[in-house]
Structure formats: C-alpha cells, structure tokens
Amino acid sequence: MIKIVAVMKVKAECVDTFKSLAKELVEKSRAEEGNVSYSLNELIGDPATLAFIEIWKDQAAIDIHNATEHFTGILPKLAELCESAQPVNLFTEVEF
C-alpha cells in the first residue's frame, strides 16, 4: 500500500470554499477501486493548513486516480485557493 500526504496552505478567506470543493473530491476518490482511505485533515491550531491523507492499494490505483475527471477537474480549483502547497509525499509502511 502507498500513503500520500498532500499539505496545502489555504488563503484564510477561502477555507470554507476549499472544504466545499474538497468534499466532492474526497467522496468520489473513496469510491475508487484501489482506494483504501481518503480524508481531508486540518492542522490543529491552524485551520488554514489542510492535508489530504490517502491510502492506495498500489501505484496503478494512484495513476488511475490522478487521471479521473474529479481529480483533474477539482484539483486546479483547489490550488487557486491556496497560498502555497508543500511537495506531495508518498510513503510505504515500515513493517516490523
């Protein structure tokens, strides 16, 4: 499985709009075949710093997700509401 953490610093006056747009992205992404988990998270103490935390079955599922209409249509709109975005980081779990 692959975990993605995508942190975005949203313009303070755009947080509610961002969350409204993100709701559709989260709901549609959760319905995708290779998705295990997909959520929008707010940094404690800073409601304008939001992070999508996702878990995908494999890279093929991520590639399919990245080509979906909801991803390609909504993500640019979300980016317009941001002051900045951190690099998107992909993780695999360390197994003990």
Side-chain angles (χ1 to χ4, degrees), residues 43-82:
L43 181 65
I44 295 172
D46 182 2
T49 299
L50 297 165
F52 289 99
I53 300 177
E54 315 163 29
I55 303 175
W56 295 93
K57 181 179 139 186
D58 54 27
Q59 185 61 51
I62 295 169
D63 293 341
I64 292 168
H65 167 68
N66 288 346
T68 62
E69 185 177 329
H70 55 270
F71 182 82
T72 60
I74 295 172
L75 195 63
K77 294 175 186 176
L78 294 175
E80 290 176 7
L81 303 173
C82 292

Side-chain angles (χ1 to χ4, degrees), residues 9 14-15 25 30 36 43 45 50-52 57 60 64 73-74 77 85 91 96:
K9 181 65 176 176
C14 297
V15 171
L25 178 62
R30 285 178 177 168
V36 177
L43 181 65
L50 297 165
F52 289 99
K57 181 179 139 186
I64 292 168
I74 295 172
K77 294 175 186 176
F91 297 87
F96 295 99

Side-chain angles (χ1 to χ4, degrees), residues 78-90:
L78 294 175
E80 290 176 7
L81 303 173
C82 292
E83 291 178 11
S84 64
Q86 306 285 326
V88 174
N89 293 296
L90 282 68

Side-chain angles (χ1 to χ4, degrees), residues 1 29-30 32-38 54-57:
M1 280 193 263
S29 298
R30 285 178 177 168
E32 291 180 50
E33 177 69 28
N35 182 259
V36 177
S37 176
Y38 201 106
E54 315 163 29
I55 303 175
W56 295 93
K57 181 179 139 186

